[in-house]
Amino acid sequence: MKIFDTMQRRKVDFVPIEEGKVRMYVCGPTVYNLIHIGNARPMIVFDTFRRYLEYKGYKVNYVSNFTDVDDKIINAAKEEGVAPEVISERYIRECKRDMEDMNIEPATVHPQATKEIDGMIEMIQKLIDNGHAYVASDGTVYFSVASDPDYGKLSHKNMDEMMSGLRDLKVSGEEQKKDPNDFVLWKPKKEGEPYWDSPWCQGRPGWHIECSEMSRKYLGETIDIHAGGEDLIFPHHENEIAQSEGASGKPFCHYWMHNGFLNINNRKMSKSEGNFFTVRDITSQYDPMVLRLFILSAQYRTPLNFSKELMDQAKAAYERILNCTDKLKELSSKAEEKELSEEEKKGMEAVKGFIRDFEDAMEDDNNTANAESAVYEIIRVANAGTDADSSKEYVDWLLSVIHKLVDGVLGVRTDRKTEMLDEDIEKLIEERQAARKAKNFGRADEIRDQLLSMGIVLEDTREGVKWKKA
């Protein structure tokens, strides 16, 4: 198996630290709001890579954190007049709901920064003791970049490049830095913010130290794979390396994987541009499996463009997969136990070749785009080569292959959702009809929007209200 290692800037053979086991850390979201589709890309692509490692027999210790203390969380809490933990716990729940909808397997551990403060303080003290950090007069603790001669080895930035970007930058409160490149490990509390006691001052950790400590605690001082979006390469992952290796004196990570950006209609996603979409926005219009299939339609390191046209293509592809599995399940229920025909044997050989293509794609730096193409070839063979005369052995074998590759590795569910309204939705439709009769059109529109957010589209026709799944 080959992985493109960001540090080496090339594909390299993957050799785990411990045979048969993989220690993998993926940076998770800051939980101040619903996750957006940019967050969804690393979640989906690295969940898929983890699934493939497990498919190959590896035991994967997969850690993905929640950053639950941050300026954005604090600001959101102030706006609502609640404690910051109310915001973070709410959006951890909502994030887990979105992850479940997208069929992202729970991590082995989902650590939260606020529950790991003691370990962060211990790591910061080690950095001070090892000469890699210093305490300013106000209690702020900084990492000394000059103490690490290898700083910049992940992003391949040199000190001159970093200095040129900071030469004219004057940040209030950072006058005590010895070097403009030094970064915060611990910062003093501000009025109305959460804080913890430390040997230096009451305050809270800097962002970068959180992942270093959570990775160390749950995976050890040296890990196999660290992954995340390419926007994290510098400074976040660069700083993680400096902290972790400065504290332990050991290599931090053997392989670095970074996914490319997700753009909207060829433009960077931005609230100010009006093209910012949460996962919930998209899954109110499309099945979450369509979103997953779309995300995996490009090799993870390449930029991915999001558009309605491309989502509609993914929707059609997903329907093709579902139609095939529906057909095979129906045939299986009626098929006879009999010997494989010559045509079925040829079909099996063809499918085995596409299984090899699928595995070759995944072995080549998690190339899910080519893996999807192999799946569509298997679907083609299954559709063309099965009918009422097919043997049960052949039909069931095809179903098992699709289940292993599509459900198991790509994480795309092949069980079609039943088109049934639950009791609560039926009541909402009845309430909307009553509101319309009472000419309370505002309430009727509210209910329509609520149902749309639940994936139910209403159509008012002469025959009455009809509904369909979005």
Side-chain angles (χ1 to χ4, degrees):
M1 184 188 303
K2 289 191 177 293
I3 293 174
F4 185 93
D5 176 38
T6 304
M7 187 176 291
Q8 299 182 64
R9 291 181 167 179
R10 63 186 178 92
K11 289 181 185 178
V12 294
D13 290 325
F14 173 66
V15 181
I17 296 167
E18 189 175 353
E19 187 175 352
K21 296 181 179 180
V22 177
R23 306 169 196 175
M24 185 170 180
Y25 189 95
V26 179
C27 287
T30 300
V31 283
Y32 67 98
N33 208 329
L34 296 174
I35 60 170
H36 54 74
I37 56 175
N39 299 133
R41 190 178 193 190
M43 288 179 177
I44 289 170
V45 298
F46 297 122
D47 172 71
T48 304
F49 187 60
R50 169 205 187 169
R51 287 168 175 269
Y52 184 71
L53 289 169
E54 291 173 339
Y55 168 86
K56 295 296 289 185
Y58 288 101
K59 182 178 180 181
V60 183
N61 187 352
Y62 187 92
V63 177
S64 186
N65 69 298
F66 290 116
T67 295
D68 60 346
V69 57
D70 177 85
D71 289 342
K72 291 179 180 178
I73 295 170
I74 293 166
N75 292 338
K78 287 178 179 177
E79 287 178 13
E80 289 193 26
V82 297
E85 58 266 25
V86 173
I87 299 293
S88 59
E89 291 299 329
R90 176 198 303 162
Y91 288 114
I92 286 173
R93 289 194 301 272
E94 295 300 329
C95 180
K96 287 182 176 179
R97 173 185 158 187
D98 284 336
M99 290 170 68
E100 184 177 355
D101 285 346
M102 294 185 290
N103 202 24
I104 294 166
E105 293 183 337
T108 311
V109 184
H110 278 295
Q112 293 174 225
T114 57
K115 295 178 169 54
E116 309 295 342
I117 301 294
D118 288 347
M120 295 176 206
I121 290 172
E122 289 179 15
M123 180 174 280
I124 293 169
Q125 188 60 57
K126 279 186 181 179
L127 289 168
I128 295 170
D129 295 342
N130 292 349
H132 291 293
Y134 58 93
V135 186
S137 59
D138 65 352
T140 303
V141 184
Y142 292 104
F143 184 93
S144 173
V145 170
S147 73
D148 181 2
D150 291 329
Y151 189 82
K153 64 184 177 182
L154 178 67
S155 59
H156 300 278
K157 292 179 181 289
N158 59 44
M159 293 302 291
D160 288 339
E161 286 178 315
M162 288 183 275
M163 283 301 296
S164 66
L166 291 167
R167 197 163 285 132
D168 299 322
L169 181 64
K170 294 182 179 179
V171 181
S172 176
E174 295 194 347
E175 296 84 0
Q176 300 175 96
K177 282 185 175 184
K178 293 180 179 179
D179 185 303
N181 289 300
D182 295 348
F183 58 88
V184 172
L185 300 173
W186 188 268
K187 52 189 171 184
K189 68 177 180 180
K190 292 180 182 177
E191 186 69 29
E193 291 188 354
Y195 65 86
W196 289 263
D197 291 328
S198 81
W200 318 290
C201 67
Q202 291 181 325
R204 58 187 173 98
W207 174 38
H208 311 299
I209 196 70
E210 296 173 8
C211 287
S212 283
E213 168 55 22
M214 289 185 278
S215 177
R216 182 209 63 78
K217 179 175 178 179
Y218 295 103
L219 295 172
E221 291 177 323
T222 303
I223 68 174
D224 292 294
I225 299 169
H226 198 313
E230 66 176 307
D231 56 313
L232 299 179
I233 295 173
F234 185 85
H236 184 52
H237 288 165
E238 195 74 73
N239 291 351
E240 277 191 68
I241 295 170
Q243 295 163 159
S244 298
E245 296 186 353
S248 70
K250 301 174 183 177
F252 175 41
C253 176
H254 285 187
Y255 305 92
W256 288 90
M257 300 176 74
H258 292 96
N259 64 275
F261 289 116
L262 187 147
N263 297 318
I264 309 295
N265 294 317
N266 295 308
R267 287 158 49 216
K268 184 178 178 181
M269 186 169 67
S270 166
K271 287 183 179 178
S272 62
E273 291 281 336
N275 65 348
F276 182 91
F277 300 109
T278 66
V279 167
R280 207 72 57 86
D281 290 332
I282 303 306
T283 56
S284 69
Q285 301 175 55
Y286 295 92
D287 190 296
M289 294 300 94
V290 173
L291 177 59
R292 184 166 183 126
L293 204 59
F294 162 74
I295 293 286
L296 297 177
S297 67
Q299 205 275 347
Y300 76 98
R301 288 189 291 111
T302 63
L304 177 61
N305 187 51
F306 179 94
S307 69
K308 184 179 185 303
E309 291 73 22
L310 293 172
M311 282 295 289
D312 287 343
Q313 289 177 23
K315 182 179 179 180
Y318 185 46
E319 188 64 24
R320 186 178 167 208
I321 293 170
L322 292 179
N323 287 340
C324 179
T325 54
D326 286 347
K327 173 187 176 181
L328 293 175
K329 288 172 186 175
E330 178 67 18
L331 290 176
S332 176
S333 68
K334 299 174 182 177
E336 296 180 9
E337 299 282 0
K338 56 183 179 181
E339 289 188 7
L340 292 169
S341 69
E342 289 304 312
E343 285 302 310
E344 288 175 338
K345 289 177 183 177
K346 289 179 182 177
M348 273 190 169
E349 288 307 307
V351 169
K352 286 176 183 177
F354 294 127
I355 293 171
R356 287 192 292 273
D357 291 343
F358 179 97
E359 292 179 347
D360 287 345
M362 294 301 296
E363 299 270 336
D364 183 18
D365 192 31
N366 194 34
N367 194 332
T368 55
N370 288 351
E372 277 191 16
S373 296
V375 164
Y376 299 141
E377 290 298 322
I378 293 170
I379 296 296
R380 180 184 59 78
V381 172
N383 281 332
T386 56
D387 55 29
D389 292 328
S390 297
S391 69
K392 184 171 176 57
E393 180 181 351
Y394 184 52
V395 171
D396 287 350
W397 181 78
L398 287 170
L399 272 172
S400 71
V401 168
I402 293 169
H403 180 73
K404 285 179 183 177
L405 302 188
V406 180
D407 296 73
V409 177
L410 297 183
V412 175
R413 299 184 182 105
T414 59
D415 285 331
R416 190 183 292 274
K417 291 180 180 177
T418 55
E419 298 291 336
M420 293 290 291
L421 287 175
D422 65 31
E423 196 173 305
D424 291 336
I425 296 176
E426 287 177 348
K427 286 179 180 178
L428 283 172
I429 292 175
E430 291 173 5
E431 184 184 345
R432 178 175 177 272
Q433 291 300 91
R436 284 169 59 83
K437 286 179 182 178
K439 297 188 176 181
N440 186 355
F441 298 113
R443 176 58 182 154
D445 288 344
E446 285 178 7
I447 294 171
R448 175 190 282 275
D449 291 343
Q450 182 180 351
L451 289 169
L452 182 60
S453 73
M454 300 164 76
I456 303 294
V457 177
L458 300 184
E459 295 179 353
D460 295 309
T461 70
R462 291 180 180 179
E463 293 78 29
V465 179
K466 294 185 178 181
W467 64 270
K468 64 180 181 180
K469 288 280 188 180

